[in-house]
């Protein structure tokens, strides 16, 4: 029985070394090659001084090399931190500072990111760089501890590892409401529990050809990668440049003969909007799974009507509870666009609790806050006991002090059918294009701009790809004139594209409620009523 994530690959490599494991464009890695290459990298990382529990940043775009790297890092007893290569340097720097990696793995497509990181004194000194490409380093900018050529010359024999299942496998950084991304620590055991359940429930096997659409810093990708390896199946990496092109994606599913597609719903809605799916399209596809946000019923109906032979499953769960905690396989195409699709029932080993403010169970039909208990719960936030304590509480129904529940911040109810229904958020976390975003992180970045007196960021629902539109209401400092375009440009230097507001409104002062707080509801209405931008005074 597998107890560490990398062992799935080793098992497949022993039994079926020539079976295809990873595919991207014309590149293809067999299980044997994946095993050998990850052994080589593990060896080099150890030689570079990596020890059990050290962090290694994965600053590589999705590619076969990135997958080899994930495994090599685990085999070196280390923890990988996947970095969003498209994120601006200051945000990545916060993650790297917090993670304190021993090594940063980078390549040509992340060279300028790396340049920016290394110019920061604190980072430049502590971490060494490994250059994961055979192409020569541009100039003499970095002095890597080793490069891909060295890795390829290393011995392919297995390395001994000492990790145990409770050790962290990776840290996934998500948006933090106070302006600093928070690192969710995920153990080997967390992922293995989910994958083992999913393998049984979905009947995954060696004949499967799985999509890998979400980027590697999203927790959904963990299921793509390790679900595939657990099943001895093929992982088909969706090239990032296709990932937002509806027609190209449909063609990718056809050409790769995928049996499973897994992504955030906003992408599926986008494909539905462009009507890129034919009736009985994708003849090999057996399962379509989504997670991360509500899949609007009209778009779900579009997909189900076109693909009557495919099984559609809604997976629900936050990163803090590892990939997904509950599931609902939609039995038939809903007849009504307004039909609510439940988040269903807990996956094996998980429990969903709908509680009131005093942590008492609410009656069926009543709205409460959703808590999760079970095998997927992260040990907590990286080096942040305060946030960990605030979100991971003692289970009030248990006398075991180690029994914890995670406060999701989601509102939910248990329906008459006994299934759980997601009803929205209790706070200002949103999803936009599938990205988890704390509006507070955007506000913190805006508040750091000297041209603004005050600002509030709110979200309004849309019917488009974004799902939710981020809107910024701002008051310039007296005698300062600043345009939305200028603000956006400045903000783009510190936040990734998905976090940039798409609507802006200037105010003389922001509306406040009786408590003196910004009246966010009034602001939402103001934005909802204004199609275009966007200079306004009160
Ligand atoms: P993340 O950590 O990025 O996976 O985001 C977790 C949050 O996404 C949850 O707390 C929910 O608010 C939302 N979410 C995840 N899955 C679903 C789903 N199937 N339906 C509705 N919302 C979801």
């Amino acid at each position: 029985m597998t107890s560490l994530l990398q062992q799935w690959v080793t098992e497949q490599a022993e039994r079926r070394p020539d079976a295809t494991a990873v595919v991207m464009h014309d590149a293809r890695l067999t299980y044997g090659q994946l095993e050998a290459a990850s052994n080589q990298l593990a060896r080099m990382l150890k030689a570079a001084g990596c020890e059990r529990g050290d962090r290694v940043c994965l600053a590589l775009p999705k590619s076969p090399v990135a997958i080899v790297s994930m495994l090599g890092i685990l085999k070196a007893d280390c923890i990988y931190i996947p970095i969003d290569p498209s994120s601006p340097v200051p945000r990545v720097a916060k993650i790297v500072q917090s993670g304190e990696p021993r090594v940063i793995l980078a390549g040509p497509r992340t060279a300028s990111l790396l340049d920016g990181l290394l110019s920061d004194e604190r980072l430049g000194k502590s971490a060494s760089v490994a250059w994961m490409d055979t192409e020569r380093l541009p100039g003499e900018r970095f002095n890597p501890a080793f490069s891909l050529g060295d890795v390829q010359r290393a011995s392919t024999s297995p390395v001994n590892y000492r990790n145990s299942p409770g050790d962290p496998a990776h840290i996934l950084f998500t948006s933090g409401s106070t302006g600093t991304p928070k690192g969710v620590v995920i153990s080997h055991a967390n992922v293995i529990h989910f994958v083992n359940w999913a393998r049984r429930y979905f009947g995954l096997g060696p004949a499967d050809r799985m999509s890998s659409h979400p980027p590697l810093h999203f927790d959904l990708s963990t299921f793509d990668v390790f679900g595939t390896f657990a099943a001895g199946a093929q992982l088909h990496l969706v090239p990032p440049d296709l990932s937002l092109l509806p027609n190209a994606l449909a063609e990718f599913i056809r050409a790769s003969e995928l049996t499973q597609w897994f992504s955030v719903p906003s992408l599926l809605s986008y494909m539905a909007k462009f009507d890129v799916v034919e009736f009985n399209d994708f003849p090999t596809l057996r399962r379509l799974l989504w997670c991360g946000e509500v899949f609007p019923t009209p778009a779900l109906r579009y997909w189900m009507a076109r693909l009557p032979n495919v099984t559609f499953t809604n997976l629900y769960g936050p990163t803090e509870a590892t990939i997904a905690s509950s599931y609902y396989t939609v039995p038939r195409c809903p007849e009504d666009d307004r039909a609510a699709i439940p988040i269903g029932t807990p996956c094996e080993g998980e429990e969903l609790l709908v509680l009131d403010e005093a942590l008492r169970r609410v009656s069926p039909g009543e709205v409460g806050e959703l808590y999760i208990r079970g095998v997927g719960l992260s040990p907590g936030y990286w080096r942040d006991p305060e946030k960990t304590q605030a979100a991971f509480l003692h289970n009030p129904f248990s006398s075991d002090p180690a029994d914890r529940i995670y406060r999701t911040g989601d509102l939910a109810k248990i329906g008459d059918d006994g299934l759980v229904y997601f009803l929205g958020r209790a706070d200002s976390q949103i999803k936009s294009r599938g990205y988890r975003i704390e509006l507070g992180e955007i506000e913190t970045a805006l508040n750091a701009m000297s041209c603004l007196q005050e600002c509030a960021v709110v979200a309004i629902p849309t019917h488009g790809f974004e799902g939710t539109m981020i809107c910024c209401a701002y008051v310039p400092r007296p005698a300062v004139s600043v345009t939305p375009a200028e603000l956006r440009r400045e903000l783009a230097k510190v936040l990734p594209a998905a976090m940039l507001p798409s609507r802006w409104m200037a105010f003389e002062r922001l509306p406040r409620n009786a408590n003196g707080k910004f009246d966010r509801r009034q602001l939402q209405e103001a934005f909802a009523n204004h199609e275009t931008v966007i200079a306004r005074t009160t």
Side-chain angles (χ1 to χ4, degrees):
M1 198 64 176
T2 302
S3 58
L4 296 171
L5 291 171
Q6 64 268 26
Q7 287 167 347
W8 277 315
V9 171
T10 307
E11 283 160 21
Q12 294 298 330
E14 280 165 4
R15 278 193 275 145
R16 308 160 55 241
D18 298 327
T20 300
V22 182
V23 181
M24 186 175 188
H25 298 300
D26 296 335
R28 192 173 282 269
L29 282 179
T30 64
Y31 276 96
Q33 290 167 328
L34 193 53
E35 175 70 359
S38 52
N39 286 346
Q40 290 173 311
L41 177 60
R43 187 159 274 110
M44 293 307 296
L45 286 170
K46 288 198 165 202
C50 285
E51 291 177 2
R52 182 178 181 184
D54 278 346
R55 277 78 53 211
V56 176
C57 277
L58 196 61
L60 294 169
K62 187 186 284 186
S63 57
V65 167
I67 305 293
V68 167
S69 302
M70 286 163 74
L71 292 162
I73 295 168
L74 296 177
K75 287 180 174 181
D77 285 322
C78 294
I79 304 166
Y80 64 84
I81 302 181
I83 297 291
D84 174 4
S86 62
S87 221
V89 172
R91 191 164 191 273
V92 175
K94 286 183 187 165
I95 294 173
V96 175
Q97 252 167 42
S98 161
E100 279 195 281
R102 172 82 62 175
V103 178
I104 302 175
L105 301 183
R109 284 174 56 197
T110 47
S112 56
L113 176 68
L114 194 63
D115 255 343
L117 290 175
L118 297 185
S119 62
D120 182 324
E121 277 249 310
R122 286 157 303 178
L123 305 177
K125 286 203 180 101
S126 55
S128 43
V129 172
W131 187 251
M132 295 302 287
D133 203 273
T134 43
E135 213 175 275
R136 275 173 60 83
L137 264 170
E140 295 297 318
R141 289 190 298 199
F142 334 107
N143 183 19
F146 60 86
S147 65
L148 190 58
D150 303 314
V151 176
Q152 289 167 341
R153 283 187 291 276
S155 159
T156 58
S157 62
V159 280
N160 292 327
Y161 36 78
R162 298 186 296 129
N163 266 347
S164 59
D167 283 339
H170 52 240
I171 305 175
L172 300 176
F173 279 82
T174 72
S175 179
S177 55
T178 53
T180 308
K182 7 177 225 207
V184 184
V185 177
I186 299 294
S187 70
H188 286 258
N190 287 149
V191 178
I192 287 173
H193 280 302
F194 178 81
V195 167
N196 280 339
W197 167 80
R199 184 154 58 141
R200 283 193 301 278
Y201 178 72
F202 294 113
L204 310 181
D208 269 306
R209 299 160 75 97
M210 327 273 230
S211 64
S212 165
H213 180 270
L216 298 175
H217 60 280
F218 262 30
D219 92 320
L220 306 197
S221 71
T222 316
F223 175 46
D224 298 330
V225 174
F226 293 104
T228 300
F229 297 158
Q234 295 184 9
L235 183 67
H236 288 256
L237 306 180
V238 180
D241 48 335
L242 295 193
S243 76
L244 292 178
L245 303 173
N247 266 309
L249 283 174
E251 191 44 40
F252 180 86
I253 300 176
R254 282 177 212 120
S256 311
E257 299 182 337
L258 296 184
T259 60
Q260 172 173 302
W261 179 265
F262 182 33
S263 73
V264 291
S266 36
L267 188 79
L268 299 170
S269 301
Y270 195 50
M271 291 172 78
K273 181 178 163 192
F274 284 88
D275 191 13
V276 297
V277 185
E278 310 272 326
F279 183 70
N280 267 334
D281 214 336
F282 319 135
T284 53
L285 195 69
R286 286 164 52 205
R287 294 178 294 277
L288 189 141
L289 325 177
W290 66 93
C291 186
E293 57 190 345
V294 173
F295 191 2
T297 306
L300 172 64
R301 291 182 66 212
Y302 168 92
W303 277 90
M304 289 189 81
R306 275 169 178 67
L307 304 178
N309 298 319
V310 171
T311 303
F312 290 79
T313 303
N314 181 12
L315 290 165
Y316 158 86
T319 305
E320 286 84 341
T322 315
I323 308 168
S325 312
S326 76
Y327 68 103
Y328 179 74
T329 295
V330 186
R332 69 195 72 80
C333 186
E335 279 169 14
D336 186 339
D337 274 353
R338 284 162 306 176
I341 306 299
I343 56 171
T345 43
C347 304
E348 195 178 273
E350 312 287 353
E351 197 183 328
L352 300 189
L353 301 99
V354 185
L355 307 179
D356 67 12
E357 281 175 4
L359 299 183
R360 288 172 307 215
R361 287 181 202 272
V362 303
S363 312
E366 270 181 40
V367 182
E369 201 171 323
L370 189 56
Y371 291 77
I372 300 173
R373 172 174 175 267
V375 290
L377 286 208
S378 150
Y381 297 111
W382 173 248
R383 291 184 175 165
D384 199 335
E386 221 170 276
K387 281 208 179 79
T388 302
Q389 264 173 20
F392 295 84
L393 314 180
H394 172 246
N395 176 8
F397 307 102
S398 163
S399 55
D400 176 359
D403 195 343
R404 300 178 307 151
I405 53 174
Y406 169 68
R407 170 184 265 155
T408 63
D410 291 331
L411 299 172
K413 68 169 186 187
I414 300 174
D416 295 339
D417 46 14
L419 301 170
V420 181
Y421 287 77
F422 170 86
L423 301 173
R425 290 290 301 175
D427 59 14
S428 62
Q429 180 182 301
I430 61 147
K431 285 291 174 102
S432 180
R433 287 186 256 157
Y435 288 87
R436 167 169 160 178
I437 296 168
E438 293 285 355
L439 297 180
E441 185 171 349
I442 307 172
E443 281 181 5
T444 306
L446 284 161
N447 283 329
M449 291 185 190
S450 54
C451 58
L452 293 187
Q453 182 154 302
E454 57 183 16
C455 71
V457 177
V458 295
I460 55 171
T462 68
H463 300 296
F465 172 48
E466 284 176 294
T468 309
M469 188 181 283
I470 303 172
C471 308
C472 173
Y474 64 95
V475 180
R477 275 200 194 285
V480 172
S481 109
V482 60
T483 65
E486 286 161 348
L487 287 171
R488 201 180 145 91
R489 220 170 17 248
E490 276 307 297
L491 205 57
K493 292 181 185 162
V494 291
L495 293 180
M499 293 178 89
L500 302 180
S502 40
R503 288 200 183 176
W504 300 78
M505 254 195 233
F507 285 73
E508 266 167 20
R509 61 184 297 275
L510 295 184
R512 291 175 194 265
N513 60 26
N515 302 328
K517 292 186 178 172
F518 295 145
D519 189 336
R520 292 177 190 271
R521 183 149 299 167
Q522 197 180 322
L523 288 172
Q524 280 169 318
E525 279 164 18
F527 280 106
N529 294 333
H530 282 71
E531 276 302 306
T532 47
V533 187
I534 269 177
R536 158 163 179 187
T537 52
T538 50

